[in-house]
Amino acid sequence: MNPAFSRYAVMAFCTAWMLAGCSQQGSTPTAEQQQARTQAADAARNLDTYRQLLRIGNDEMAVSMGKDIVKRFPDSDAAKEVQKTLPAIEKRYTEVSEKSRLAGLWLYQVAPMAGGTQSTATIENSQPAGGDRVRLVLRRHTSWGQSVFLYGSKPGFVCRGNCTIATTVDSKPVRIKAFAPSTGEPALMIRDDQAFIGMLRKAKKLGMDVTLVDGEKKQALVYEVGGFDPAKWAVVGKGGKK
């Protein structure tokens, strides 16, 4: 074999091998590039999940996923798309959740009572948070008619004859006339039940200041009444009022 040809062949092979090596080295992504690709794939996958949650109307999960996308991939196209819809979805979810929470504070019951049937709508004070609860009760009874009262634990409330409950209705001061039942129950009966219920239907929050017999301790009761649903308070008997 011609020595010159052999030398050129070897040189050509080495050159081709070096070029192939350089080409292969240039196509290998760096650690930063690999991380960026992984993040882009994760963002795209999470964005697809976010879109599906919006389609099925799952606002709770959509808000959670949307916030995660914006937090983890703030500069991504996925985050930019999410930010176009997330504020409205979060606002709607917050409003619906609060409405559901307020509605859940009320308990509606129909049951036999003292030879008749009674229908009640009851809510407990949300403030103060500790201590015994005082229930605000709306009651309809087949024999006794309609009444509204506060019901606590014994020995009950200070109310000599007629008394006045200093009340705020959505921060507006109102004075509510009440009396203690002659049966000795730990209750305060509202004099004008119909007016109170009319006021309640429009209110969001009631504040009622009472004095407890035990040590004549004054207590400011707060009721979040905005979730009251009159339709769930069943009418019983002829004396029932809507």
Side-chain angles (χ1 to χ4, degrees):
M1 179 183 293
N2 188 327
F5 175 80
S6 299
R7 184 169 62 252
Y8 288 130
V10 171
M11 291 176 63
F13 171 79
C14 290
T15 300
W17 179 82
M18 290 176 65
L19 289 174
C22 291
S23 176
Q24 183 178 6
Q25 183 177 6
S27 64
T28 303
T30 63
E32 290 79 7
Q33 290 173 329
Q34 185 62 43
Q35 183 180 11
R37 291 178 184 177
T38 300
Q39 287 186 341
D42 288 344
R45 184 166 52 251
N46 289 359
L47 177 61
D48 184 61
T49 301
Y50 177 78
R51 290 169 176 165
Q52 292 181 42
L53 291 169
L54 292 186
R55 280 195 293 270
I56 64 176
N58 190 333
D59 288 349
E60 180 180 6
M61 293 299 296
V63 168
S64 179
M65 178 61 72
K67 286 184 174 180
D68 183 69
I69 292 172
V70 172
K71 180 179 179 180
R72 291 176 59 196
F73 316 107
D75 300 322
S76 66
D77 291 339
K80 292 176 183 177
E81 179 176 330
V82 166
Q83 287 171 327
K84 293 178 182 178
T85 55
L86 182 59
I89 300 301
E90 186 173 10
K91 181 175 182 290
R92 182 174 68 195
Y93 170 65
T94 300
E95 290 174 350
V96 171
S97 297
E98 179 63 5
K99 184 177 180 181
S100 177
R101 183 188 74 84
L102 292 173
L105 297 178
W106 285 91
L107 176 64
Y108 305 89
Q109 292 180 310
V110 176
M113 180 66 168
T117 301
Q118 77 170 9
S119 168
T120 57
T122 308
I123 187 173
E124 293 183 342
N125 59 298
S126 55
Q127 295 178 27
D132 295 333
R133 297 294 182 180
V134 177
R135 285 173 285 170
L136 171 61
V137 183
L138 315 183
R139 180 176 64 189
R140 290 171 174 149
H141 191 278
T142 49
S143 298
W144 307 334
Q146 179 176 277
S147 57
V148 177
F149 55 92
L150 295 175
Y151 194 91
S153 56
K154 291 187 176 182
F157 307 93
V158 173
C159 182
R160 299 173 180 88
N162 288 320
C163 55
T164 300
I165 305 173
T167 304
T168 56
V169 182
D170 297 331
S171 301
K172 180 182 178 181
V174 179
R175 299 182 74 79
I176 305 294
K177 299 239 178 244
F179 66 95
S182 58
T183 53
E185 294 177 305
L188 281 177
M189 310 297 296
I190 306 300
R191 281 285 180 192
D192 192 343
D193 56 276
Q194 195 64 19
F196 185 92
I197 293 168
M199 175 188 68
L200 177 68
R201 289 171 181 260
K202 303 174 184 178
K204 294 181 179 179
K205 184 179 291 186
L206 298 183
M208 306 182 77
D209 296 339
V210 298
T211 303
L212 305 179
V213 171
D214 187 11
E216 296 208 0
K217 177 183 176 183
K218 296 187 181 300
Q219 198 165 54
L221 306 172
V222 176
Y223 298 91
E224 298 179 89
V225 297
F228 174 57
D229 185 352
K232 292 183 179 180
W233 183 28
V235 175
V236 292
K238 295 180 181 180
K241 301 176 184 177
K242 291 188 178 181

